[in-house]
mmCIF file of all heavy atoms in Angstrom:
data_model
loop_
_atom_site.group_PDB
_atom_site.id
_atom_site.type_symbol
_atom_site.label_atom_id
_atom_site.label_comp_id
_atom_site.label_asym_id
_atom_site.label_seq_id
_atom_site.Cartn_x
_atom_site.Cartn_y
_atom_site.Cartn_z
ATOM 1 N N CYS A 432 3.700 -9.800 -17.372
ATOM 2 C CA CYS A 432 4.212 -9.232 -18.613
ATOM 3 C C CYS A 432 4.853 -10.306 -19.456
ATOM 4 O O CYS A 432 5.572 -11.160 -18.921
ATOM 5 C CB CYS A 432 5.211 -8.101 -18.326
ATOM 6 S SG CYS A 432 5.914 -7.399 -19.794
ATOM 7 N N ASN A 434 6.737 -9.492 -22.284
ATOM 8 C CA ASN A 434 7.572 -8.838 -23.274
ATOM 9 C C ASN A 434 9.080 -9.088 -23.197
ATOM 10 O O ASN A 434 9.796 -9.002 -24.140
ATOM 11 C CB ASN A 434 7.322 -7.338 -23.248
ATOM 12 C CG ASN A 434 5.934 -7.047 -23.786
ATOM 13 O OD1 ASN A 434 5.542 -7.546 -24.834
ATOM 14 N ND2 ASN A 434 5.129 -6.326 -22.990
ATOM 15 N N PHE A 435 9.519 -9.393 -21.996
ATOM 16 C CA PHE A 435 10.935 -9.697 -21.842
ATOM 17 C C PHE A 435 11.854 -8.679 -22.487
ATOM 18 O O PHE A 435 12.710 -9.025 -23.309
ATOM 19 C CB PHE A 435 11.272 -11.115 -22.329
ATOM 20 C CG PHE A 435 10.670 -12.181 -21.462
ATOM 21 C CD1 PHE A 435 9.439 -12.754 -21.764
ATOM 22 C CD2 PHE A 435 11.349 -12.595 -20.290
ATOM 23 C CE1 PHE A 435 8.877 -13.688 -20.906
ATOM 24 C CE2 PHE A 435 10.789 -13.569 -19.465
ATOM 25 C CZ PHE A 435 9.543 -14.120 -19.772
ATOM 26 N N CYS A 436 11.667 -7.417 -22.182
ATOM 27 C CA CYS A 436 12.658 -6.403 -22.549
ATOM 28 C C CYS A 436 13.943 -6.873 -21.874
ATOM 29 O O CYS A 436 13.915 -7.304 -20.719
ATOM 30 C CB CYS A 436 12.232 -5.027 -22.074
ATOM 31 S SG CYS A 436 10.634 -4.539 -22.749
ATOM 32 N N THR A 437 15.077 -6.766 -22.580
ATOM 33 C CA THR A 437 16.262 -7.492 -22.093
ATOM 34 C C THR A 437 16.869 -6.943 -20.787
ATOM 35 O O THR A 437 17.637 -7.614 -20.150
ATOM 36 C CB THR A 437 17.358 -7.518 -23.176
ATOM 37 O OG1 THR A 437 17.617 -6.159 -23.560
ATOM 38 C CG2 THR A 437 16.930 -8.348 -24.364
ATOM 39 N N TYR A 438 16.481 -5.703 -20.412
ATOM 40 C CA TYR A 438 17.009 -5.117 -19.188
ATOM 41 C C TYR A 438 16.124 -5.415 -17.989
ATOM 42 O O TYR A 438 16.486 -5.146 -16.837
ATOM 43 C CB TYR A 438 17.133 -3.578 -19.327
ATOM 44 C CG TYR A 438 15.847 -2.971 -19.846
ATOM 45 C CD1 TYR A 438 14.793 -2.700 -19.018
ATOM 46 C CD2 TYR A 438 15.685 -2.699 -21.220
ATOM 47 C CE1 TYR A 438 13.592 -2.209 -19.508
ATOM 48 C CE2 TYR A 438 14.496 -2.196 -21.717
ATOM 49 C CZ TYR A 438 13.470 -1.937 -20.845
ATOM 50 O OH TYR A 438 12.278 -1.470 -21.334
ATOM 51 N N CYS A 439 14.913 -5.938 -18.216
ATOM 52 C CA CYS A 439 13.848 -5.841 -17.220
ATOM 53 C C CYS A 439 13.622 -7.167 -16.477
ATOM 54 O O CYS A 439 13.479 -8.217 -17.102
ATOM 55 C CB CYS A 439 12.559 -5.355 -17.898
ATOM 56 S SG CYS A 439 11.247 -5.074 -16.715
ATOM 57 N N GLN A 476 0.969 -3.934 -16.729
ATOM 58 C CA GLN A 476 2.343 -3.743 -17.224
ATOM 59 C C GLN A 476 2.346 -3.332 -18.697
ATOM 60 O O GLN A 476 3.175 -2.641 -19.165
ATOM 61 C CB GLN A 476 3.120 -5.041 -17.047
ATOM 62 C CG GLN A 476 4.344 -4.958 -16.220
ATOM 63 C CD GLN A 476 4.092 -4.544 -14.790
ATOM 64 O OE1 GLN A 476 4.396 -3.420 -14.445
ATOM 65 N NE2 GLN A 476 3.598 -5.388 -13.947
ATOM 66 N N ASN A 477 1.316 -3.818 -19.416
ATOM 67 C CA ASN A 477 1.219 -3.520 -20.849
ATOM 68 C C ASN A 477 -0.258 -3.525 -21.198
ATOM 69 O O ASN A 477 -0.751 -4.499 -21.784
ATOM 70 C CB ASN A 477 2.000 -4.574 -21.631
ATOM 71 C CG ASN A 477 1.860 -4.426 -23.108
ATOM 72 O OD1 ASN A 477 1.360 -3.405 -23.602
ATOM 73 N ND2 ASN A 477 2.262 -5.437 -23.832
ATOM 74 N N ASN A 479 -2.021 -2.362 -23.363
ATOM 75 C CA ASN A 479 -2.464 -2.481 -24.792
ATOM 76 C C ASN A 479 -2.626 -3.904 -25.250
ATOM 77 O O ASN A 479 -3.226 -4.145 -26.292
ATOM 78 C CB ASN A 479 -1.482 -1.751 -25.700
ATOM 79 C CG ASN A 479 -1.301 -0.320 -25.238
ATOM 80 O OD1 ASN A 479 -0.306 0.037 -24.671
ATOM 81 N ND2 ASN A 479 -2.314 0.501 -25.478
ATOM 82 N N THR A 511 0.541 0.936 -17.954
ATOM 83 C CA THR A 511 1.462 1.571 -18.896
ATOM 84 C C THR A 511 1.203 1.039 -20.291
ATOM 85 O O THR A 511 0.825 -0.138 -20.434
ATOM 86 C CB THR A 511 2.899 1.214 -18.431
ATOM 87 O OG1 THR A 511 3.157 1.896 -17.218
ATOM 88 C CG2 THR A 511 3.911 1.679 -19.457
ATOM 89 N N SER A 512 1.479 1.854 -21.282
ATOM 90 C CA SER A 512 1.283 1.423 -22.679
ATOM 91 C C SER A 512 2.600 1.021 -23.259
ATOM 92 O O SER A 512 3.605 1.703 -23.062
ATOM 93 C CB SER A 512 0.819 2.616 -23.492
ATOM 94 O OG SER A 512 -0.526 2.883 -23.232
ATOM 95 N N HIS A 513 2.612 -0.093 -23.987
ATOM 96 C CA HIS A 513 3.801 -0.445 -24.760
ATOM 97 C C HIS A 513 3.587 0.038 -26.206
ATOM 98 O O HIS A 513 2.593 -0.330 -26.811
ATOM 99 C CB HIS A 513 4.015 -1.965 -24.711
ATOM 100 C CG HIS A 513 5.367 -2.381 -25.208
ATOM 101 N ND1 HIS A 513 5.860 -2.002 -26.412
ATOM 102 C CD2 HIS A 513 6.323 -3.147 -24.618
ATOM 103 C CE1 HIS A 513 7.114 -2.503 -26.560
ATOM 104 N NE2 HIS A 513 7.396 -3.202 -25.493
ATOM 105 N N PRO A 514 4.505 0.817 -26.727
ATOM 106 C CA PRO A 514 4.300 1.363 -28.085
ATOM 107 C C PRO A 514 4.003 0.279 -29.128
ATOM 108 O O PRO A 514 3.204 0.562 -30.070
ATOM 109 C CB PRO A 514 5.607 2.085 -28.404
ATOM 110 C CG PRO A 514 6.202 2.373 -27.072
ATOM 111 C CD PRO A 514 5.762 1.278 -26.131
ATOM 112 N N LYS A 515 4.584 -0.898 -28.992
ATOM 113 C CA LYS A 515 4.387 -1.897 -30.055
ATOM 114 C C LYS A 515 2.954 -2.372 -30.145
ATOM 115 O O LYS A 515 2.544 -2.915 -31.163
ATOM 116 C CB LYS A 515 5.347 -3.083 -29.841
ATOM 117 C CG LYS A 515 4.879 -4.074 -28.804
ATOM 118 C CD LYS A 515 5.835 -5.270 -28.726
ATOM 119 C CE LYS A 515 5.610 -6.080 -27.479
ATOM 120 N NZ LYS A 515 4.354 -6.731 -27.346
ATOM 121 N N ASP A 516 2.191 -2.233 -29.073
ATOM 122 C CA ASP A 516 0.815 -2.762 -29.060
ATOM 123 C C ASP A 516 -0.272 -1.682 -29.073
ATOM 124 O O ASP A 516 -1.437 -2.000 -28.916
ATOM 125 C CB ASP A 516 0.601 -3.617 -27.812
ATOM 126 C CG ASP A 516 1.464 -4.858 -27.796
ATOM 127 O OD1 ASP A 516 1.482 -5.558 -28.811
ATOM 128 O OD2 ASP A 516 2.138 -5.114 -26.789
ATOM 129 N N HIS A 536 0.976 7.816 -20.978
ATOM 130 C CA HIS A 536 2.351 7.479 -20.567
ATOM 131 C C HIS A 536 2.852 6.439 -21.544
ATOM 132 O O HIS A 536 2.305 5.330 -21.610
ATOM 133 C CB HIS A 536 2.342 6.949 -19.136
ATOM 134 C CG HIS A 536 3.705 6.701 -18.617
ATOM 135 N ND1 HIS A 536 4.632 7.691 -18.439
ATOM 136 C CD2 HIS A 536 4.333 5.548 -18.256
ATOM 137 C CE1 HIS A 536 5.787 7.188 -17.991
ATOM 138 N NE2 HIS A 536 5.622 5.877 -17.867
ATOM 139 N N LEU A 537 3.833 6.793 -22.330
ATOM 140 C CA LEU A 537 4.270 5.932 -23.424
ATOM 141 C C LEU A 537 5.825 5.782 -23.400
ATOM 142 O O LEU A 537 6.541 6.517 -24.105
ATOM 143 C CB LEU A 537 3.814 6.562 -24.760
ATOM 144 C CG LEU A 537 3.872 5.692 -25.974
ATOM 145 C CD1 LEU A 537 2.944 4.483 -25.885
ATOM 146 C CD2 LEU A 537 3.462 6.512 -27.227
ATOM 147 N N PRO A 538 6.299 4.866 -22.573
ATOM 148 C CA PRO A 538 7.754 4.701 -22.436
ATOM 149 C C PRO A 538 8.426 4.422 -23.792
ATOM 150 O O PRO A 538 7.920 3.585 -24.555
ATOM 151 C CB PRO A 538 7.909 3.476 -21.522
ATOM 152 C CG PRO A 538 6.632 3.434 -20.760
ATOM 153 C CD PRO A 538 5.573 3.892 -21.720
ATOM 154 N N PHE A 539 9.517 5.129 -24.079
ATOM 155 C CA PHE A 539 10.250 4.790 -25.316
ATOM 156 C C PHE A 539 11.606 4.177 -25.003
ATOM 157 O O PHE A 539 12.224 3.569 -25.853
ATOM 158 C CB PHE A 539 10.284 5.945 -26.293
ATOM 159 C CG PHE A 539 11.284 7.036 -26.016
ATOM 160 C CD1 PHE A 539 12.505 7.060 -26.666
ATOM 161 C CD2 PHE A 539 11.004 8.043 -25.119
ATOM 162 C CE1 PHE A 539 13.444 8.095 -26.437
ATOM 163 C CE2 PHE A 539 11.924 9.062 -24.872
ATOM 164 C CZ PHE A 539 13.129 9.078 -25.516
ATOM 165 N N GLN A 540 12.138 4.418 -23.829
ATOM 166 C CA GLN A 540 13.375 3.810 -23.286
ATOM 167 C C GLN A 540 14.639 4.293 -24.000
ATOM 168 O O GLN A 540 15.564 4.651 -23.287
ATOM 169 C CB GLN A 540 13.302 2.246 -23.341
ATOM 170 C CG GLN A 540 12.036 1.620 -22.847
ATOM 171 C CD GLN A 540 11.743 1.835 -21.362
ATOM 172 O OE1 GLN A 540 12.506 2.482 -20.652
ATOM 173 N NE2 GLN A 540 10.619 1.307 -20.860
ATOM 174 N N SER A 541 14.673 4.261 -25.311
ATOM 175 C CA SER A 541 15.827 4.774 -26.019
ATOM 176 C C SER A 541 15.389 5.248 -27.406
ATOM 177 O O SER A 541 14.447 4.696 -27.966
ATOM 178 C CB SER A 541 16.900 3.701 -26.169
ATOM 179 O OG SER A 541 17.847 4.095 -27.140
ATOM 180 N N GLY A 542 16.082 6.266 -27.917
ATOM 181 C CA GLY A 542 15.736 6.772 -29.251
ATOM 182 C C GLY A 542 16.514 6.067 -30.346
ATOM 183 O O GLY A 542 16.307 6.361 -31.530
ATOM 184 N N SER A 543 17.448 5.185 -29.961
ATOM 185 C CA SER A 543 18.283 4.547 -30.957
ATOM 186 C C SER A 543 17.681 3.200 -31.385
ATOM 187 O O SER A 543 17.496 2.309 -30.581
ATOM 188 C CB SER A 543 19.680 4.328 -30.349
ATOM 189 O OG SER A 543 20.285 3.210 -30.961
ATOM 190 N N THR A 544 17.418 3.091 -32.675
ATOM 191 C CA THR A 544 16.841 1.857 -33.192
ATOM 192 C C THR A 544 17.709 0.640 -32.884
ATOM 193 O O THR A 544 17.244 -0.426 -32.537
ATOM 194 C CB THR A 544 16.564 1.977 -34.697
ATOM 195 O OG1 THR A 544 15.633 3.018 -34.872
ATOM 196 C CG2 THR A 544 16.023 0.690 -35.299
ATOM 197 N N ASN A 545 19.024 0.892 -32.966
ATOM 198 C CA ASN A 545 19.968 -0.200 -32.666
ATOM 199 C C ASN A 545 19.804 -0.678 -31.230
ATOM 200 O O ASN A 545 19.718 -1.870 -30.937
ATOM 201 C CB ASN A 545 21.382 0.374 -32.938
ATOM 202 C CG ASN A 545 22.416 -0.647 -32.597
ATOM 203 O OD1 ASN A 545 22.223 -1.853 -32.766
ATOM 204 N ND2 ASN A 545 23.585 -0.175 -32.120
ATOM 205 N N LEU A 546 19.725 0.285 -30.286
ATOM 206 C CA LEU A 546 19.558 -0.124 -28.869
ATOM 207 C C LEU A 546 18.168 -0.700 -28.616
ATOM 208 O O LEU A 546 18.008 -1.664 -27.855
ATOM 209 C CB LEU A 546 19.770 1.075 -27.946
ATOM 210 C CG LEU A 546 21.195 1.448 -27.591
ATOM 211 C CD1 LEU A 546 21.206 2.319 -26.332
ATOM 212 C CD2 LEU A 546 22.092 0.274 -27.386
ATOM 213 N N LEU A 547 17.152 -0.133 -29.277
ATOM 214 C CA LEU A 547 15.783 -0.637 -29.085
ATOM 215 C C LEU A 547 15.751 -2.117 -29.462
ATOM 216 O O LEU A 547 15.080 -2.910 -28.815
ATOM 217 C CB LEU A 547 14.789 0.161 -29.918
ATOM 218 C CG LEU A 547 14.488 1.557 -29.397
ATOM 219 C CD1 LEU A 547 13.715 2.352 -30.435
ATOM 220 C CD2 LEU A 547 13.697 1.471 -28.082
ATOM 221 N N ASN A 548 16.492 -2.446 -30.513
ATOM 222 C CA ASN A 548 16.585 -3.797 -30.962
ATOM 223 C C ASN A 548 17.240 -4.647 -29.876
ATOM 224 O O ASN A 548 16.709 -5.731 -29.518
ATOM 225 C CB ASN A 548 17.414 -3.785 -32.251
ATOM 226 C CG ASN A 548 17.170 -5.049 -33.020
ATOM 227 O OD1 ASN A 548 16.230 -5.784 -32.750
ATOM 228 N ND2 ASN A 548 18.094 -5.315 -33.953
ATOM 229 N N LYS A 549 18.357 -4.172 -29.333
ATOM 230 C CA LYS A 549 19.028 -4.925 -28.274
ATOM 231 C C LYS A 549 18.182 -5.030 -27.003
ATOM 232 O O LYS A 549 18.340 -5.915 -26.202
ATOM 233 C CB LYS A 549 20.372 -4.263 -27.907
ATOM 234 C CG LYS A 549 21.434 -4.419 -28.961
ATOM 235 C CD LYS A 549 22.751 -4.020 -28.366
ATOM 236 C CE LYS A 549 23.829 -3.985 -29.444
ATOM 237 N NZ LYS A 549 24.968 -3.131 -29.049
ATOM 238 N N MET A 550 17.288 -4.022 -26.843
ATOM 239 C CA MET A 550 16.388 -4.060 -25.658
ATOM 240 C C MET A 550 15.190 -4.971 -25.886
ATOM 241 O O MET A 550 14.364 -5.140 -24.999
ATOM 242 C CB MET A 550 15.861 -2.653 -25.357
ATOM 243 C CG MET A 550 16.897 -1.674 -24.822
ATOM 244 S SD MET A 550 16.112 -0.037 -24.696
ATOM 245 C CE MET A 550 17.287 0.813 -23.637
ATOM 246 N N ASN A 551 15.032 -5.475 -27.131
ATOM 247 C CA ASN A 551 13.884 -6.294 -27.490
ATOM 248 C C ASN A 551 12.573 -5.521 -27.391
ATOM 249 O O ASN A 551 11.546 -6.080 -26.928
ATOM 250 C CB ASN A 551 13.831 -7.548 -26.616
ATOM 251 C CG ASN A 551 12.844 -8.567 -27.162
ATOM 252 O OD1 ASN A 551 12.613 -8.641 -28.362
ATOM 253 N ND2 ASN A 551 12.238 -9.369 -26.274
ATOM 254 N N ARG A 552 12.594 -4.246 -27.814
ATOM 255 C CA ARG A 552 11.388 -3.431 -27.698
ATOM 256 C C ARG A 552 10.443 -3.575 -28.884
ATOM 257 O O ARG A 552 9.300 -3.139 -28.844
ATOM 258 C CB ARG A 552 11.772 -1.963 -27.504
ATOM 259 C CG ARG A 552 12.438 -1.650 -26.169
ATOM 260 C CD ARG A 552 11.464 -1.766 -24.994
ATOM 261 N NE ARG A 552 10.472 -0.705 -25.010
ATOM 262 C CZ ARG A 552 9.511 -0.583 -24.110
ATOM 263 N NH1 ARG A 552 9.367 -1.521 -23.155
ATOM 264 N NH2 ARG A 552 8.654 0.410 -24.157
ATOM 265 N N LYS A 553 10.941 -4.063 -29.983
ATOM 266 C CA LYS A 553 10.113 -4.373 -31.162
ATOM 267 C C LYS A 553 9.464 -3.157 -31.834
ATOM 268 O O LYS A 553 8.357 -3.223 -32.398
ATOM 269 C CB LYS A 553 9.005 -5.388 -30.808
ATOM 270 C CG LYS A 553 9.570 -6.709 -30.250
ATOM 271 C CD LYS A 553 8.600 -7.834 -30.412
ATOM 272 C CE LYS A 553 9.237 -9.163 -30.199
ATOM 273 N NZ LYS A 553 9.570 -9.462 -28.813
ATOM 274 N N TYR A 554 10.163 -1.999 -31.766
ATOM 275 C CA TYR A 554 9.804 -0.870 -32.631
ATOM 276 C C TYR A 554 11.085 -0.069 -32.911
ATOM 277 O O TYR A 554 12.091 -0.283 -32.205
ATOM 278 C CB TYR A 554 8.741 0.060 -31.977
ATOM 279 C CG TYR A 554 9.078 0.514 -30.576
ATOM 280 C CD1 TYR A 554 9.868 1.658 -30.325
ATOM 281 C CD2 TYR A 554 8.653 -0.211 -29.464
ATOM 282 C CE1 TYR A 554 10.194 2.072 -29.065
ATOM 283 C CE2 TYR A 554 8.987 0.189 -28.182
ATOM 284 C CZ TYR A 554 9.773 1.320 -27.995
ATOM 285 O OH TYR A 554 10.108 1.719 -26.742
ATOM 286 N N THR A 555 11.002 0.753 -33.923
ATOM 287 C CA THR A 555 12.146 1.585 -34.275
ATOM 288 C C THR A 555 11.901 3.009 -33.797
ATOM 289 O O THR A 555 10.746 3.352 -33.442
ATOM 290 C CB THR A 555 12.372 1.628 -35.792
ATOM 291 O OG1 THR A 555 11.198 2.223 -36.377
ATOM 292 C CG2 THR A 555 12.584 0.222 -36.376
ATOM 293 N N LYS A 556 12.938 3.812 -33.871
ATOM 294 C CA LYS A 556 12.781 5.265 -33.542
ATOM 295 C C LYS A 556 11.656 5.865 -34.409
ATOM 296 O O LYS A 556 10.774 6.566 -33.919
ATOM 297 C CB LYS A 556 14.115 5.966 -33.806
ATOM 298 C CG LYS A 556 14.040 7.466 -33.634
ATOM 299 C CD LYS A 556 15.367 8.135 -34.044
ATOM 300 C CE LYS A 556 15.339 9.619 -33.835
ATOM 301 N NZ LYS A 556 16.561 10.296 -34.305
ATOM 302 N N GLN A 558 9.178 4.383 -35.966
ATOM 303 C CA GLN A 558 7.828 3.916 -35.641
ATOM 304 C C GLN A 558 7.285 4.576 -34.375
ATOM 305 O O GLN A 558 6.110 4.911 -34.306
ATOM 306 C CB GLN A 558 7.854 2.370 -35.433
ATOM 307 C CG GLN A 558 7.932 1.609 -36.759
ATOM 308 C CD GLN A 558 8.268 0.146 -36.574
ATOM 309 O OE1 GLN A 558 8.878 -0.247 -35.581
ATOM 310 N NE2 GLN A 558 7.884 -0.639 -37.548
ATOM 311 N N TYR A 559 8.139 4.800 -33.438
ATOM 312 C CA TYR A 559 7.723 5.496 -32.206
ATOM 313 C C TYR A 559 7.230 6.906 -32.535
ATOM 314 O O TYR A 559 6.182 7.351 -32.111
ATOM 315 C CB TYR A 559 8.824 5.526 -31.152
ATOM 316 C CG TYR A 559 8.375 6.158 -29.850
ATOM 317 C CD1 TYR A 559 7.708 5.402 -28.877
ATOM 318 C CD2 TYR A 559 8.526 7.527 -29.597
ATOM 319 C CE1 TYR A 559 7.249 5.979 -27.701
ATOM 320 C CE2 TYR A 559 8.086 8.095 -28.431
ATOM 321 C CZ TYR A 559 7.456 7.330 -27.476
ATOM 322 O OH TYR A 559 6.968 7.895 -26.323
ATOM 323 N N THR A 577 6.908 9.756 -20.398
ATOM 324 C CA THR A 577 7.649 8.579 -20.878
ATOM 325 C C THR A 577 8.642 8.061 -19.836
ATOM 326 O O THR A 577 8.856 8.702 -18.805
ATOM 327 C CB THR A 577 8.394 8.941 -22.189
ATOM 328 O OG1 THR A 577 8.733 7.746 -22.851
ATOM 329 C CG2 THR A 577 9.618 9.794 -21.931
ATOM 330 N N ASP A 578 9.217 6.889 -20.100
ATOM 331 C CA ASP A 578 10.336 6.365 -19.317
ATOM 332 C C ASP A 578 11.528 6.257 -20.251
ATOM 333 O O ASP A 578 11.388 5.840 -21.420
ATOM 334 C CB ASP A 578 10.064 4.912 -18.836
ATOM 335 C CG ASP A 578 8.947 4.835 -17.815
ATOM 336 O OD1 ASP A 578 8.516 5.880 -17.293
ATOM 337 O OD2 ASP A 578 8.512 3.694 -17.534
ATOM 338 N N ILE A 579 12.707 6.640 -19.756
ATOM 339 C CA ILE A 579 13.921 6.587 -20.552
ATOM 340 C C ILE A 579 15.026 5.934 -19.736
ATOM 341 O O ILE A 579 15.198 6.257 -18.557
ATOM 342 C CB ILE A 579 14.374 8.034 -20.950
ATOM 343 C CG1 ILE A 579 13.242 8.803 -21.620
ATOM 344 C CG2 ILE A 579 15.618 7.953 -21.873
ATOM 345 C CD1 ILE A 579 13.531 10.281 -21.852
ATOM 346 N N ILE A 580 15.770 5.046 -20.370
ATOM 347 C CA ILE A 580 16.935 4.424 -19.720
ATOM 348 C C ILE A 580 18.196 5.000 -20.359
ATOM 349 O O ILE A 580 18.316 5.024 -21.598
ATOM 350 C CB ILE A 580 16.927 2.917 -19.890
ATOM 351 C CG1 ILE A 580 15.687 2.328 -19.196
ATOM 352 C CG2 ILE A 580 18.191 2.305 -19.304
ATOM 353 C CD1 ILE A 580 15.531 0.821 -19.354
ATOM 354 N N PHE A 583 22.291 1.977 -21.243
ATOM 355 C CA PHE A 583 22.087 0.567 -21.561
ATOM 356 C C PHE A 583 23.375 0.043 -22.260
ATOM 357 O O PHE A 583 24.017 0.808 -22.952
ATOM 358 C CB PHE A 583 20.877 0.435 -22.536
ATOM 359 C CG PHE A 583 20.556 -0.972 -22.891
ATOM 360 C CD1 PHE A 583 19.792 -1.753 -22.012
ATOM 361 C CD2 PHE A 583 21.004 -1.560 -24.059
ATOM 362 C CE1 PHE A 583 19.479 -3.076 -22.332
ATOM 363 C CE2 PHE A 583 20.690 -2.884 -24.390
ATOM 364 C CZ PHE A 583 19.924 -3.623 -23.497
#
Side-chain angles (χ1 to χ4, degrees):
C432 179
N434 292 310
F435 290 94
C436 301
T437 54
Y438 50 81
C439 186
Q476 236 63 255
N477 175 13
N479 305 104
T511 293
S512 286
H513 193 308
K515 80 176 165 63
D516 295 311
H536 185 64
L537 194 63
F539 78 100
Q540 314 296 1
S541 166
S543 152
T544 297
N545 178 33
L546 278 200
L547 286 169
N548 199 15
K549 288 193 188 158
M550 289 175 165
N551 193 29
R552 292 290 290 178
K553 302 203 167 71
Y554 52 87
T555 62
K556 174 185 182 186
Q558 283 167 336
Y559 184 85
T577 198
D578 292 348
I579 307 171
I580 297 177
F583 183 81

